[in-house]
Amino acid sequence: KHIYPCFVELINFVAELVVRPLLDQQPTSSDQKPKRLVRSYRKTDVKPDNAEGRRRIDMALKCDALNNNSSSDDDEYDEDSIQFSEERLKAKDGRNDERPNYSRIFAVVEVKPDTSAANIEKGLAQLVEYSKGVYWNQHNRRFIWGLVSGGSNVKACILGPNFLLASQFMDVTTAAGRLELIRFLVNWSFCELPKLGYDPTIRFNRVHKCFTIDMADSNEPMPTQTTYYLRKIVVFAERVFGRHTRCFVVGRQPPSLEAKSDNSGDILIKDAWPEVSGLAEDDMRDESKLLKRVSNGLAGHSEFNGLYPKYISGGRMQIQNTRGESVDDTTRTILGETVWAQLGDLPLRAHMRIAMSGVGEPLKTIQSIPELIVVIYDVMRCHMGILKHCQILHRDISEANILVRRDGTGVHGMLIDFDHAISITDDGYAKHAERTGTVPFMSVSNLENLQPKRTALDDWESIIYILCWLGTFGWNSDTRPSGSVADLNIASWDGNNVMKIANSKRDHMHSSDIFTGITKGFNPNIPYIAALKDIVEGLRAVLIDSHSDPDLRGALIIQDRIPRDDSNDVFGGYEFKMRPDPFVERAGHWELISERLLAKLKIYAQGAKKLL
């Protein structure tokens, strides 16, 4: 801890030197002026404001604006950004100089006593953990910087959607090491905003007191930019690595003018960093392109209105490189060609943003099992409509991708999130068979990565698993079970061993008698739980049992013992023959089985509506 104040003073001393020419009113050209000051909070070994839990960070840095009279209506950092002044620079007890706040932290600093491998690894792990708070609270962060110090040696670190990179040690007891660290700190004050990890297209508007989000439709030959005004945030980036998905409900008018506008903010913007393949024009799994196809394909089918989000605009976001050129905002752009070339097979991720109309509520807002069945039916008839009219298979049916929408006609379901969706062939097969989805809801073929490639039956199988999961664990605090669920059979559907989970699902799905081991675990305190039990057992029967061809029935691969017909074998004997995998066999009949499943679910939904 004795290192903390030294580190604070060093960083703030560099900031004072950066701004001194401006304070002394020395003439400087625009490219010689810093764009901001990077300074350290004075409180160390502290739990930041807006933090969950009790974890304490060693130190934190923040970005301060340079003057009190900014001509811009937009704030680069956030609504509480400090306006720089000489008095503030010299202040020792200013509120914002003292305690770190996750909504303003630019970089986290972890300090260890020495450079042992264990200490540095611990420092990096803590950096990752604390960065969650930055992503959660700062909706315009693309990546995060950090520093890890081992005694007098400092590493600079950068955390992105799928990487954590650290520099070599900079030893501040040597002139060369100090020079490297100071260069690093000074560069943070002079570089362009995207180099700090911020997204310049999301800014706080001081006039209207809300965030604005800029978008252009990169799927159009001549894209035009639109500015949306934030109403609320419905999905936060809650992980350090991965897609960093955020969802914003926005309007075309500022909230202060909403009463004068016909638009009430029913537009959703999804911002994420999915894995992509090469150039944008060659990426056939681009969610924005798929959603645009869905919207166009269902445009003449009013029966699906409100059951899926309608595309407005979207595509890959662009950022300006060091030469002032607009390029795709990707992990490769963030790291630069030299570093990227050293990373081998690191998957490329791109910054995607999609604006769509139609906003629903999470599945946890359903109020009863009858509502749940109506919602699930809407989702699956929309799913089948997209398959039929757009030749797109969703491939990621999960509770997170099912929304609830209410209007004057009642409750409805909405199918969202086409991140894993893919075009199908003329015979109904997905062109790629990689494992996708949420583990407890994955089909057996998906878990085992079986051939042939995925069909609609995989998504129907997921629906059965979702209904079982909700019947057991509930969907909100009112429907959660009161006792322990660790010993229930359904607990084996989750975990890290996908083949073990697949075997468990094969066992449970094989026969109606075995499947009751799952439905017996349903929460008896939920009203209409017996009806849900009958529904999932009925859907399982249509998927697994109701086939005239024995090769299509069941879920296990059966081994038959057949007597040998060999007159020379005086001892007799048997040979063993494996039956075909029923999941593979059923895939060839996906269309007929899907029609039966939808018809069955329709009957259940009609009964459920009578109870609403």
Side-chain angles (χ1 to χ4, degrees), residues 6 146 401 454 526 564 574:
C6 302
N401 294 337
R454 304 292 86 81
I526 302 176
R564 286 198 185 106
Y574 298 89

Side-chain angles (χ1 to χ4, degrees), residues 183-339:
R183 278 177 172 166
F184 206 87
L185 297 173
V186 170
N187 186 58
W188 276 344
S189 292
F190 281 83
C191 70
E192 298 299 327
L193 187 65
K195 292 289 186 182
L196 297 182
Y198 292 99
D199 184 344
T201 65
I202 301 179
R203 303 174 306 282
F204 187 78
N205 186 291
R206 298 187 189 125
V207 173
H208 297 294
K209 301 187 185 310
C210 70
F211 280 90
T212 61
I213 303 174
D214 294 335
M215 279 202 62
D217 192 346
S218 63
N219 292 317
E220 295 295 332
M222 297 293 290
T224 58
Q225 182 167 287
T226 302
T227 297
Y228 295 96
Y229 296 83
L230 181 65
R231 299 290 190 268
K232 64 179 178 179
I233 302 161
V234 291
V235 176
F236 293 76
E238 57 184 351
R239 298 179 181 178
V240 176
F241 303 116
R243 292 173 177 266
H244 288 176
T245 300
R246 299 175 172 101
C247 291
F248 310 101
V249 178
V250 302
R252 297 181 186 273
Q253 297 289 336
S256 58
L257 303 178
E258 187 173 314
K260 303 175 184 178
S261 169
D262 292 332
N263 189 298
S264 58
D266 60 347
I267 297 172
L268 185 81
I269 288 180
K270 178 180 178 180
D271 189 281
W273 285 79
E275 289 187 10
V276 298
S277 53
L279 298 175
E281 54 266 29
D282 300 327
D283 189 1
M284 300 309 296
R285 299 171 62 184
D286 182 334
E287 185 184 8
S288 67
K289 294 177 182 177
L290 290 170
L291 188 57
K292 187 174 183 178
R293 273 180 55 192
V294 168
S295 298
N296 292 338
L298 297 185
H301 300 275
S302 59
E303 66 270 26
F304 301 117
N305 284 349
L307 305 187
Y308 66 96
K310 292 187 178 180
Y311 176 86
I312 296 175
S313 64
R316 291 192 190 182
M317 296 299 294
Q318 296 218 314
I319 211 83
Q320 282 198 334
N321 62 17
T322 54
R323 297 185 295 275
E325 302 165 334
S326 292
V327 295
D328 287 347
D329 189 12
T330 65
T331 47
R332 183 173 186 168
T333 306
I334 290 171
L335 297 174
E337 293 299 328
T338 302
V339 174

